[in-house]
Amino acid sequence: MRQTGTFNAAHGADRFGFHDLAAAHWNLRAPQLYGEALRRGEANIAAGGALVAETGIHTGRSPKDKFIVRDEAIEKSIWWDNNQAMSRPHFDALLQDFIAHAKGRELFAQDLYAGADPSFRVKTRVFTELAWHSLFIRNLLIRPETSDLAGFVPDLTIVDLPSFKADPKRHGCRSETVIACDFSRRIVLIGGTSYAGEMKKAVFTYLNYLLPEHDVMPMHCSANSGGRNEVALFFGLSGTGKTTLSADPSRMLIGDDEHGWSKHGVFNFEGGCYAKAIRLSREAEPDIYATTERFGTVMENVVLDPITHEPDFDDDSKTENTRIAYPLDFIVNASPTGRDGRPRNIVMLTCDAFGVLPPIAKLDPSQAMYHFLSGYTAKVAGTEKGVTEPQATFSACFGAPFMPRHPSVYGNLLRDLIEKHHVDCWLVNTGWTGGKYGTGRRMPIRVTRRLLAAALDGSLNRANFRSDPYFGLAVPTRVPGVEPHILEPIKTWASKAEFAETAKRLIGMFKENFVKFERHVDEEVLSAAPKPRIAAA
């Protein structure tokens, strides 16, 4: 077997079970991986120097094809209502077939860290069939010093073979695509999909299983800092603004997607960013846009001009979910360590397409847990086939697909930390104002940025607050630089009766969704549910 690169010869591919590989390429860097990806016809180069690849029919994650191996060791720890089980015999057959499928192929291996805090770091080895996948995961996780590679022994191993096709009958899965997680043996197998994000989220899923046992709160959030113990966390589902709002030139970026909160403070799980690229502009997001013009960035499903190779970020002909993956140090004001102190502010972002939530509201600890467990945002017309009007989406902990344990585990951890450290919590609506989607307008980004600035610098705590009559939230009555009527959503609607009916409908959705959590929370959290005090006209 031909082997290139630096690695631990005493713990190579054979220790995992691979045999008769054509080659194993270890810990190659960007220039080498560019060369391999181009030689193999996997990717193109954009005019600015980024590597551009297509992911085929899978332009996003396949949550229905993700499974956790069910065995006695983890049986009582997993939230099985939300996670699909795979039997041990089915996984063993899948692993055997993965190893057989790799025979005679070239594989790329990266030895990386998940977790910037050495106390909770997980050594992660990722075998990929595609060279560009190897560069992607090298960008996204934390790259060890070269001197660490000679003794690297993985805690977690991921194998990603897009050309492998699973057999539902033999492997106990749903289709030819499979993402199988064996927490007991610390193995993840990904097959039948070229979407690189599956690798990143597999690591996150494992950390979400592992870290609560060590009193570490794993979080699907971005984070930035204005100085020691001035950390802000931004929770939110896709499209709510996590990446955009955390990339603030006046604050240091810790990370854009996944973090832990331990007794030492906040730490990034990753060493890179995975930003949405659709409609990206140099004017609105200059720092993120600049990464698309750098050698080493990986772009997924971004359309290139056939002659000039200039990217067209407005073209969604391949997917709305175009992405860019780049090392964290491509952002000028990024943290060099990926670590900082404890949070002072927590921001929960929601894109309310119904247009009835206030642009910002302060939450007490019970309300914070209620909205954290709810994980509300809304899909809008045109984002998915069949969606013709706003649809409420609830994803517990703002990341249910990646939560192996019951949401109450994460919710209780978060509430205890909020109360212990006196953290200010805010609910921010980045969605619509003046009416629902199709009638109103998107919340102006300048308004959101101004409200966040006031929250993070502490001045908003000194404002006067009113109690929202529909959702029971504390809403500031005045914020310098923000039109007063925007702070009171009903005043932005032409029809007050329609606003009341829409608000009541959304409140009903909140309550219906929260039924499944009622027996897992106390009375204080239950009392944090929206309680309209005004009847519809």
Side-chain angles (χ1 to χ4, degrees):
M1 180 176 64
R2 182 166 56 94
Q3 302 195 77
T4 60
T6 304
F7 70 104
N8 182 357
H11 208 287
D14 57 318
R15 290 291 294 271
F16 186 76
F18 289 121
H19 56 87
D20 298 325
L21 296 178
H25 303 293
W26 292 90
N27 298 304
L28 301 188
R29 300 189 177 198
Q32 298 160 300
L33 292 170
Y34 263 64
E36 291 291 336
L38 295 172
R39 177 179 68 85
R40 295 151 62 97
E42 296 175 4
N44 286 311
I45 299 180
L51 194 69
V52 184
E54 295 185 18
T55 62
I57 61 172
H58 293 92
T59 57
R61 291 180 298 102
S62 299
K64 294 181 180 179
D65 294 308
K66 185 177 180 180
F67 298 84
I68 295 175
V69 177
R70 192 168 194 160
D71 60 25
E72 291 184 5
I74 68 164
E75 169 72 33
K76 296 180 180 179
S77 302
I78 304 302
W79 180 27
W80 293 114
D81 290 344
N82 183 67
N83 293 280
Q84 301 177 100
M86 176 178 282
S87 71
R88 169 66 59 202
H90 280 136
F91 184 86
D92 289 344
L94 183 66
L95 177 58
Q96 177 185 338
D97 292 349
F98 258 65
I99 290 173
H101 186 77
K103 186 176 179 180
R105 298 176 186 271
E106 291 183 87
L107 294 185
F108 299 86
Q110 290 287 340
D111 290 332
L112 303 161
Y113 295 142
D117 186 337
S119 302
F120 307 104
R121 176 175 289 164
V122 173
K123 294 179 179 179
T124 305
R125 175 168 287 173
V126 185
F127 290 101
T128 63
E129 180 180 9
L130 299 175
W132 79 265
H133 273 192
S134 194
L135 179 57
F136 171 92
I137 201 64
R138 182 177 175 83
N139 281 354
L140 264 294
L141 294 185
I142 299 168
R143 298 157 291 284
E145 297 293 332
T146 303
S147 58
D148 294 341
L149 297 176
F152 193 96
V153 177
D155 303 312
L156 174 68
T157 301
I158 298 173
V159 183
D160 188 336
L161 305 178
S163 66
F164 180 88
K165 294 183 178 180
D167 180 346
K169 193 170 183 179
R170 174 170 166 77
H171 302 130
C173 51
R174 187 186 72 101
S175 71
E176 292 182 341
T177 299
V178 66
I179 302 96
C181 308
D182 185 342
F183 292 150
S184 298
R185 293 164 69 182
R186 304 189 302 277
I187 297 171
V188 177
L189 304 176
I190 302 171
T193 172
S194 294
Y195 182 67
E198 295 286 10
M199 294 182 287
K200 158 192 163 65
K201 290 306 184 187
V203 176
F204 186 43
T205 300
Y206 179 69
L207 292 172
N208 280 324
Y209 166 74
L210 178 71
L211 292 180
E213 292 183 347
H214 300 277
D215 293 323
V216 177
M217 173 65 186
M219 304 174 293
H220 187 213
C221 69
S222 59
N224 65 24
S225 173
R228 184 70 179 173
N229 291 333
E230 290 188 15
V231 174
L233 305 179
F234 299 81
F235 289 93
L237 298 171
S238 179
T240 56
K242 282 201 318 295
T243 300
T244 299
L245 294 172
S246 61
D248 183 338
S250 67
R251 296 172 63 85
M252 181 177 68
L253 177 67
I254 303 171
D256 83 323
D257 197 41
E258 302 168 6
H259 294 81
W261 184 354
S262 74
K263 61 183 179 182
H264 305 140
V266 169
F267 63 98
N268 195 352
F269 288 166
E270 301 183 302
C273 300
Y274 192 37
K276 293 191 78 169
I278 195 68
R279 290 175 286 280
L280 180 68
S281 74
R282 193 187 303 274
E283 293 71 30
E285 299 174 84
D287 291 341
I288 296 175
Y289 193 95
T291 69
T292 70
E293 300 175 317
R294 290 194 61 168
F295 180 87
T297 292
V298 175
M299 300 201 291
E300 286 182 326
N301 300 311
V302 172
V303 175
L304 299 180
D305 183 280
I307 305 299
T308 66
H309 277 214
E310 292 286 347
D312 183 353
F313 295 116
D314 294 324
D315 191 330
D316 61 359
S317 58
K318 294 178 182 176
T319 177
E320 274 268 335
N321 193 37
T322 54
R323 294 274 182 169
I324 47 177
Y326 50 90
L328 193 63
D329 60 16
F330 279 17
I331 300 295
V332 175
N333 61 327
S335 166
T337 64
R339 301 170 62 185
D340 211 295
R342 61 174 175 80
R344 178 176 290 179
N345 288 277
I346 290 176
V347 179
M348 298 184 188
L349 301 168
T350 177
C351 178
D352 176 29
F354 294 93
V356 292
L357 284 174
I360 195 167
K362 191 169 185 180
L363 306 176
D364 64 33
S366 294
Q367 288 175 320
M369 185 172 179
Y370 182 91
H371 285 279
F372 179 70
L373 291 178
S374 297
Y376 164 69
T377 192
K379 297 176 184 175
V380 298
T383 58
E384 289 185 12
K385 185 177 180 181
V387 178
T388 57
E389 61 178 20
Q391 292 185 1
T393 299
F394 295 93
S395 185
C397 309
F398 295 97
F402 325 118
M403 304 296 162
R405 299 179 184 272
H406 192 275
S408 60
V409 172
Y410 310 105
N412 285 323
L413 269 172
L414 184 65
R415 185 168 68 159
D416 289 347
L417 286 165
I418 289 170
E419 291 180 333
K420 180 179 179 180
H421 298 294
H422 308 290
V423 182
D424 290 328
C425 298
W426 310 90
L427 183 69
V428 171
N429 174 21
T430 61
W432 270 256
T433 182
K436 63 183 180 181
Y437 173 83
T439 304
R441 59 169 178 153
R442 191 74 187 259
M443 190 71 67
I445 186 69
R446 63 168 182 81
V447 169
T448 302
R449 290 192 184 280
R450 181 68 199 93
L451 293 171
L452 280 175
L456 301 188
D457 69 17
S459 61
L460 197 54
N461 281 323
R462 299 187 292 273
N464 293 321
F465 288 81
R466 65 178 180 85
S467 178
D468 183 272
Y470 295 92
F471 295 92
L473 300 169
V475 181
T477 58
R478 181 178 177 277
V479 178
V482 176
E483 300 90 325
H485 69 282
I486 290 182
L487 297 170
E488 195 165 352
I490 194 170
K491 291 185 176 180
T492 67
W493 282 55
S495 170
K496 306 303 185 277
E498 186 181 356
F499 174 94
E501 290 292 350
T502 304
K504 285 185 66 177
R505 184 154 65 99
L506 181 57
I507 289 168
M509 294 175 188
F510 266 97
K511 291 182 176 179
E512 181 181 357
N513 170 73
F514 207 79
V515 168
K516 58 181 175 286
F517 301 127
E518 288 180 348
R519 66 187 181 88
H520 298 281
V521 300
D522 59 28
E523 286 299 321
E524 288 186 356
V525 176
L526 289 175
S527 68
K531 297 181 185 66
R533 300 199 310 270
I534 296 179

